[in-house]
Amino acid sequence: MPAPKKALRRSLTVTSAALTALAVLSPAALAAPDPSASPSTSPSATPPASMSTVGGPRLGKPGTQVGLAGGAPVLPKDLTARSWIVADAESGDVLAAHNAHWRLAPASTLKMLFADTLLPKWPKTTKRKVEVSDLAGIGAGSSLVGVKEEETYTVHDLWLGVFLRSGNDAVHVLSAMNGGVDRTVDDMNAHAEELQALDTTAVSPDGYDMPGQVSSAYDLTLFARSGLQKKDFREYASTVRAKFPGVTEKDKKGKTSRKPFEIQNTNRLLSGDYDIDVYPGIAGVKNGNTTNAGSTFTGVAERDGRVLLVTVMHPAKDEHNEVYKETARLFDWGFEAAGKVQPVGQLVGPRSAGQGSPAPDASGEAGGTGKGSAGTKPVAATTGGGAGGVGIAAGITAGVLVLLAGGVFLINRKWPLPDLVRRRSRP
């Protein structure tokens, strides 16, 4: 979109916020999910006839919602996901959606809520010697990063394990540091309510299949948008590979050593795979896969200064990396369609945004993130060879978005992402 048109679009968005606030804050718009719309886990399940209307009435309707105007591209025809959403990360405009509020099993995409809730609690340098009880209750077949009892890890190590390897073992250790799984789940549900993610019920902190544990494409997108306000969240989510502490060993002379091993991000739009390329402009966020959820993914990408969020849940096509392929097609459509379609809804802001929010602090944190908010350099995105010889060479830079003047967010409208990292290939 040419710069003048883009500026005009931004101005119109701001000036129309007061008018849209009344509609957004209507009882229908903030309605909780219909109790009769029970969570869906069966492969043959169909969406409820009516769903939550948070963000706008069209988002509560089953099927695809899109407002095509003159010159707008048609949606990809080969989408098989049960639910998906394409939204502008800054303005909150939902460009298109399909069963956006369908409550489905979220898998490890729920870790975005876990991270957004707990990241502010500790500095990266905080250490934890893992106790046997820390690793209790991890579900069979869980994804693990390799945390070992009686070994000591920093909070930084554990978050790398959560974001890159989706390690349920790292999640459980951090939960233990937070007072246990039950308290952590309570904190997550309270934070989801604050974000107006009313489709979500967390039962486990790691997204492992549990009865009654559900979220929606809409809510997962809210979690990503909220998390991306935090510098540490952005950096972890965009890290391709890093070193993780191994097991302490003792040689014949009694000298101890602890060699790290490499871990790589399982987000294939970020790391690539044999049948899928790294997506241009990708900067995170989180993937997941369980029996009930199938494959789930929320991604954020930037192109020409525009930042989009796409969430895809449970593609019907049983093909390798299908969730990433459908996400990539929706990103392509969204970048081409932005400015040419009528939004079908909005990503609402947190409840506290209605009272105004403080300006981002020096580290780019909207409202700050407690002791853990100190900015650090982007986590390693190295050129070393990875599994399958991918060997992604990528860097992370800041400065994609310019913060709006003033510290008060317009209700459910402008919520800029400060210093969103952008991936660029190195020579």
Side-chain angles (χ1 to χ4, degrees), residues 252-272:
K252 294 180 180 179
K253 296 181 180 180
K255 184 178 180 180
T256 60
S257 63
R258 192 178 183 192
K259 295 182 179 179
F261 58 92
E262 185 177 273
I263 56 176
Q264 182 171 303
N265 203 312
T266 54
N267 170 359
R268 297 309 180 197
L269 289 188
L270 193 66
S271 63

Side-chain angles (χ1 to χ4, degrees), residues 276-289:
I276 191 167
D277 294 329
V278 173
Y279 190 83
I282 193 72
V285 220
K286 191 71 191 74
N287 57 315
N289 189 288

Side-chain angles (χ1 to χ4, degrees), residues 389-416:
V390 177
I392 305 300
I396 304 175
T397 67
V400 170
L401 296 176
V402 178
L403 294 173
L404 298 179
V408 180
F409 296 135
L410 292 173
I411 297 174
N412 299 334
R413 295 294 297 179
K414 286 282 187 179
W415 195 6

